[in-house]
DNA sequence: CTTGACCCTGTACTATGGTACAGGGTTTAT
DNA sequence: ATAAACCCTGTACCATAGTACAGGGTCAAG
């Protein structure tokens, strides 16, 4: 399948300016241009933009994602120190999961303890986040 | 205990400009000032700044944190719609944990499959992130 | 054959979350 | 009593991740 920029943007649920921005930042390859100079994308770019968005949601920065995409692109420069980079990310992700589980408990307590919307501001539970977060 | 701005910043491991920035943004209360106009903080601010940093690491924005702190401050304005806000955040957090678990698997596969650092850029596993991320 | 919906480039602007001065006062150690 | 190491305000600047707009070309329908 072939897509013009707005179609790609629509499928990936991003602004088309974002697509051009990713191109400037070399996060996606320079696409084929038709006779009018329009950018024409294939399915691999759909996947790639979706991947970028996914990773971003999970707290990876665009420069980290750029590095990870070095593997996809088989770019030996960007793959320098990739092993260590992946190891560090593993630890980050581990920690993030644990912290999020804690937050999950706190949010859940927050609701259980104050089922009445009006009472929330007096709820003592939020203090636990502070107490446990050190 | 009482702390001057640099002490607070040191304990919380943030820049002292960040502390003043949080004050401007009303994320921390305006502190007591001594005779020289110096900001003097107590332990509650240590907790509060730590909480802010913790939540930030977990993907909450400062404006979301501001809202959550409305409970601590018993501010009925900021607590408007808090119940719904917390419910939404619960779902976000749930989703984030699941996605991070997936990333964890991918990162782990990435290392297992290519124990030689030089081979990483040829590793086929990263494609899975793309394939599974839709 | 023109109107509207696209596309292009280039540049400027935005929000978020800080960070870095400049220009001045205070405190502390020698 | 003076230098180093703090503190103050105010403003400017930075990176990240976009978003908007000006000024112009292209294409498809009526």
């Amino acid at each position: 399948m072939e897509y013009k920029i707005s179609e790609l943007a629509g499928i990936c649920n991003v602004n088309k300016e974002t697509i051009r921005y990713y191109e400037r930042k070399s996060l996606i390859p320079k696409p084929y241009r038709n006779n009018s100079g329009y950018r024409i994308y294939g399915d691999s770019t759909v996947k790639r933009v979706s991947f970028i968005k996914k990773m971003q949601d999970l707290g990876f920065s665009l420069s980290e994602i750029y590095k990870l995409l070095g593997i996809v692109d088989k770019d030996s420069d960007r793959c320098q120190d990739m092993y260590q980079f992946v190891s560090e990310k593993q630890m980050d992700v581990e920690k993030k999961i644990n912290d999020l589980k804690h937050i999950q408990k706190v949010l859940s307590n927050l609701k259980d303890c104050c089922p009445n919307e009006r009472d929330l501001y007096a709820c003592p539970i939020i203090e636990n986040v502070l107490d446990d977060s050190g």
Side-chain angles (χ1 to χ4, degrees), chain A:
Chain A
M1 281 292 286
E2 302 201 330
Y3 314 97
K4 272 183 275 183
I5 194 163
S6 282
E7 293 166 328
L8 177 65
I11 292 165
C12 298
N13 206 30
V14 299
N15 195 304
K16 62 178 188 256
E17 308 293 346
T18 302
I19 304 285
R20 289 198 266 252
Y21 175 74
Y22 287 174
E23 184 181 327
R24 281 204 300 286
K25 292 275 162 175
S26 303
L27 284 157
I28 57 178
K30 282 183 188 300
Y32 165 77
R33 300 293 185 112
N34 71 9
N35 284 340
S36 318
Y38 290 13
R39 290 170 178 82
I40 304 296
Y41 298 99
D43 287 307
S44 65
T45 309
V46 174
K47 268 195 198 174
R48 198 162 168 126
V49 172
S50 306
F51 172 72
I52 292 168
K53 279 287 142 194
K54 189 79 161 194
M55 294 304 280
Q56 222 178 9
D57 276 0
L58 297 173
F60 287 76
S61 71
L62 290 187
S63 68
E64 286 174 336
I65 296 165
Y66 174 76
K67 197 166 162 66
L68 276 173
L69 285 169
I71 296 177
V72 178
D73 301 338
K74 309 204 184 322
D75 176 325
S76 56
D77 277 13
R78 274 142 79 204
C79 284
Q80 278 303 307
D81 314 312
M82 182 58 82
Y83 197 83
Q84 167 147 20
F85 173 70
V86 169
S87 303
E88 278 164 19
K89 281 295 130 191
Q90 266 184 323
M91 288 188 295
D92 285 4
V93 168
E94 182 78 33
K95 191 174 170 310
K96 234 171 215 178
I97 289 174
N98 287 331
D99 288 347
L100 283 171
K101 280 182 180 163
H102 179 62
I103 294 301
Q104 206 173 34
K105 233 180 294 174
V106 172
L107 291 177
S108 164
N109 286 347
L110 195 60
K111 280 178 71 179
D112 290 353
C113 125
C114 312
N116 187 324
E117 195 161 348
R118 299 284 174 79
D119 292 345
L120 260 181
Y121 80 88
C123 180
I125 290 294
I126 193 77
E127 303 284 350
N128 294 348
V129 189
L130 292 161
D131 293 340
D132 300 359
S133 74

